[in-house]
Amino acid sequence: MTTWTALTTLSDKSKAEALGAALEEVEPTPTGVGVFEMEDGSGLWEIGAYFIEAPDDVALAILAAAFGAKDFAVSELPETDWVAHVRRELHPVEAGRFFVYGDHDADKVPPESVPLLIEAAMAFGTGHHGTTKGCLEAVDKLFTDGILPKTVADIGCGTAVLAIAAAKVLNQSVMASDIDPQAVEVAEANARANGVEAQVNCVEAAGFEHKALGENGPYDLVFANILKGPLVELAPSVATNTSASGHVILSGILNPQADEVVEAYESVGFGLRARDEIGEWTTLTLHKSD
């Protein structure tokens, strides 16, 4: 099936979100609309829509003008079996003791590793991105150093690969949350596939805004692999929900953005323990003062 995309950008978050809402009402109706902060440090927000019918160029031009956005860039996408394509392109990832793989690579799992089965079709958080790999390597270092938290939360969990990794090593309950209900469904499916569905409790929430997260905290370890902007905004909430002497592992941070994130967390009582770069991405491990 041929599909089309329509993409534009805005510098104002509220206008971007309003444009995204307006996009959902155009004809032909898009099959999906997304509004995301771009990860290049530009401060821009990308607004995009997918269509299974050619979009109305005039309607898109009117919307762009109404919200002060650039003209939509419309592209026609050829038919592609994306799952097969991703499976061909993605290979297993080793991150410390962890081995992230798809079912098609089950025969490659090293016997001494902690296996994490994450299907390639569930692309965000498969371990191939520098942010996820960085978080897995960071938590592996904590475990190797004898830091074994009793309470763990994975905020903005995506596929829940980090929550699953912690649950497998610690053999205990872990909280996982995401603002996207579809991501929560994916997280639950991945927990079942890895045999830790009884240990990984997945909830839909923005940050820590869920009763279950409050009841199970404070946390000795918090993962937050999201983006720089939300990480900075979440700093006070992360501090409130992290136990004394607890640790946080943060990623989704472009290398030039790392200093700003460190400053935000130092201002609420954290000290930097480790700063690791994989390609253009930084992972931070911080320790909360007693």
Side-chain angles (χ1 to χ4, degrees):
M1 178 188 297
T2 302
T3 58
W4 287 261
T5 62
L7 302 172
T8 187
T9 57
L10 275 168
S11 60
D12 183 273
K13 178 182 178 181
S14 60
K15 286 185 178 181
E17 291 174 340
L19 176 53
L23 260 180
E24 295 179 359
E25 305 300 325
V26 301
E27 295 291 341
T29 305
T31 58
V33 173
V35 179
F36 305 98
E37 185 178 11
M38 297 181 69
E39 299 180 350
D40 58 1
S42 65
L44 292 174
W45 291 76
E46 182 177 79
I47 307 95
Y50 288 87
F51 299 84
I52 58 173
E53 300 177 59
D56 184 333
D57 291 338
V58 174
L60 292 178
I62 292 172
L63 274 181
F67 288 91
K70 293 183 177 180
D71 290 338
F72 278 92
V74 177
S75 301
E76 183 176 347
L77 304 178
E79 289 189 47
T80 304
D81 184 342
W82 289 107
V83 173
H85 173 77
V86 170
R87 284 183 169 178
R88 286 196 302 271
E89 296 298 320
L90 295 186
H91 304 287
V93 170
E94 292 186 70
R97 74 191 69 193
F98 301 108
F99 187 85
V100 188
Y101 71 103
D103 188 58
H104 58 291
D105 285 319
D107 60 333
K108 300 177 183 177
V109 178
E112 71 282 2
S113 69
V114 176
L116 303 173
L117 172 58
I118 307 292
E119 286 299 343
M122 301 168 179
F124 185 77
T126 59
H128 297 80
H129 198 280
T131 60
T132 308
K133 181 177 169 67
C135 288
L136 288 171
E137 291 183 346
V139 76
D140 177 66
K141 290 175 185 175
L142 285 184
F143 294 161
T144 299
D145 289 344
I147 297 169
L148 302 175
K150 295 180 179 179
T151 50
V152 179
D154 182 3
I155 305 300
C157 64
T159 62
V161 61
L162 303 176
I164 292 166
K168 283 198 166 190
V169 172
L170 301 171
N171 191 28
Q172 65 188 39
S173 295
V174 175
M175 293 297 302
S177 71
D178 201 284
I179 197 170
D180 183 350
Q182 192 169 24
V184 174
E185 292 178 6
V186 168
E188 291 173 337
N190 284 333
R192 288 193 297 272
N194 284 274
V196 292
E197 65 270 26
Q199 296 159 287
V200 178
N201 183 7
C202 305
V203 298
E204 181 183 343
F208 291 89
E209 296 175 6
H210 192 285
K211 182 180 179 181
L213 285 165
E215 291 175 344
N216 288 278
Y219 298 93
D220 297 334
L221 174 62
V222 174
F223 294 107
N225 179 16
I226 39 180
L227 291 171
K228 184 267 291 184
L231 284 175
V232 171
E233 291 177 11
L234 274 175
S237 181
V238 171
T240 299
N241 289 278
T242 302
S243 60
S245 300
H247 290 80
V248 298
I249 294 175
L250 311 176
S251 200
I253 308 162
L254 289 163
N255 296 336
Q257 300 172 340
D259 287 342
E260 183 179 347
V261 178
V262 171
E263 290 172 7
Y265 281 78
E266 286 180 339
S267 71
V268 292
F270 289 93
L272 183 63
R273 178 186 176 97
R275 176 173 177 162
D276 302 294
E277 294 182 2
I278 297 179
E280 61 183 342
W281 299 98
T282 292
T283 298
L284 302 172
T285 305
L286 300 110
H287 176 247
K288 188 178 181 183
S289 303
D290 295 339

